[in-house]
Amino acid sequence: MCLFIETIRIDHGRVCNLSRHNRRLNDTRAHFWPESTPLQLSDYLSSPGCGAGITGAGIVKARVVYGEKGIEDVSYSPYTVRHVHSLALIQADHIDYTYKSAGREPLNRLFALRGACDDILIVKQGLLTDTSIANIALSDGTHWYTPAHPLLKGTKRAALLEEGILQEKDIRPEDLPSFSTVRLFNAMIDWGELELPVHRYGQRNNQQYQRQTEDIGRKQMETDIDKEHADHAQQQASDARHLHGTRQVEPLPQVGNLRRLHRRRVLHVLFL
């Protein structure tokens, strides 16, 4: 079953940016199920917007799960921002998160490559996109720019663009020294709530952090390779049981080739 989510900030009982969440939900349903009927999120959110046991909790996260049949689940939890002090630049040219899917396995695999850093900043086709959980904006001291091609066009990003606070721009890793500050934001992280200074490459023991990141990335790579071998062995055994003399079992990819494919992902560490 194909499921998607909307994560909605409820600030002391006030539901934030509801119209944009509603629009994205219905746009997603219309894309995957053209015959679907538009939904109104306000019909499914509890009043005053908090679940049982957390009324008056301040900032609450409402997580709405939906699919072809409509709203599948709504849950609430108190929210606290996870602080981020460093980002690992991770290359992932084929990742696609255009729609806010409930399945985050590709993002989780990239996040596991962060090494000593707090989060990742994904580079796709040579351009900066998003962290594992947030859109970003970079300041040159005068203007705020957000990547023109993010993995996910967030609801908060849409609001900031409409208000003229952000401008879209293609930003490459080599452009980072031109900026002084980066902000991470999403539906739950408010604008200006998570801001970090950008330092030029090479500062703050960059080589030490690079070694740590590569070491953990290498361990993750070896784990992924072992899993691919195990999965393939299991498939071979299954094929052997059902083989009738007409189907050939594909050979297992060489370990060296797998290692090269995984090694390309980790670029370098961006210290913030």
Side-chain angles (χ1 to χ4, degrees), residues 69-249:
K69 296 179 180 179
I71 304 298
E72 300 279 345
D73 182 63
V74 180
S75 60
Y76 303 90
S77 60
Y79 182 76
T80 303
V81 175
R82 173 170 61 86
H83 292 290
V84 175
H85 303 287
S86 57
L87 298 169
L89 291 181
I90 301 294
Q91 179 177 325
D93 287 344
H94 302 293
I95 190 169
D96 184 8
Y97 199 64
T98 304
Y99 298 94
K100 195 172 174 65
S101 171
R104 287 177 49 88
E105 288 79 9
L107 290 172
N108 292 339
R109 285 195 292 270
L110 294 177
F111 182 73
L113 298 174
R114 69 192 182 282
C117 295
D118 298 317
D119 204 341
I120 59 174
L121 180 51
I122 299 167
V123 180
K124 181 177 180 179
Q125 303 296 333
L127 298 174
L128 300 186
T129 60
D130 301 330
T131 73
S132 68
I133 61 167
N135 293 135
I136 67 164
L138 290 151
S139 173
D140 61 3
T142 304
H143 299 103
W144 285 98
Y145 299 97
T146 193
H149 305 285
L151 296 182
L152 179 71
K153 294 182 178 180
T155 54
K156 187 66 176 179
R157 178 182 181 274
L160 293 168
L161 285 168
E162 187 174 309
E163 294 166 11
I165 295 173
L166 293 181
Q167 299 178 41
E168 291 184 311
K169 183 177 183 178
D170 285 341
I171 305 172
R172 300 181 181 276
E174 54 266 33
D175 299 330
L176 284 168
S178 303
F179 300 98
S180 59
T181 309
V182 61
R183 283 182 177 177
L184 279 58
F185 59 93
N186 58 24
M188 295 304 304
I189 303 172
D190 211 357
W191 177 246
E193 194 170 6
L194 187 51
E195 178 178 297
L196 308 89
V198 177
H199 296 274
R200 288 183 178 275
Y201 304 138
Q203 293 184 350
R204 296 192 178 183
N205 300 316
N206 190 32
Q207 292 181 348
Q208 176 184 354
Y209 275 82
Q210 178 67 39
R211 286 194 298 269
Q212 293 172 343
T213 300
E214 289 178 348
D215 182 56
I216 292 180
R218 184 162 47 251
K219 291 178 182 178
Q220 180 65 35
M221 174 187 72
E222 291 170 353
T223 299
D224 290 345
I225 290 172
D226 290 342
K227 184 178 185 302
E228 290 184 45
H229 274 257
D231 290 346
H232 193 86
Q234 184 178 12
Q235 184 61 49
Q236 282 184 320
S238 176
D239 289 343
R241 287 194 299 269
H242 297 90
L243 195 60
H244 297 291
T246 57
R247 181 180 175 189
Q248 293 184 348
V249 179

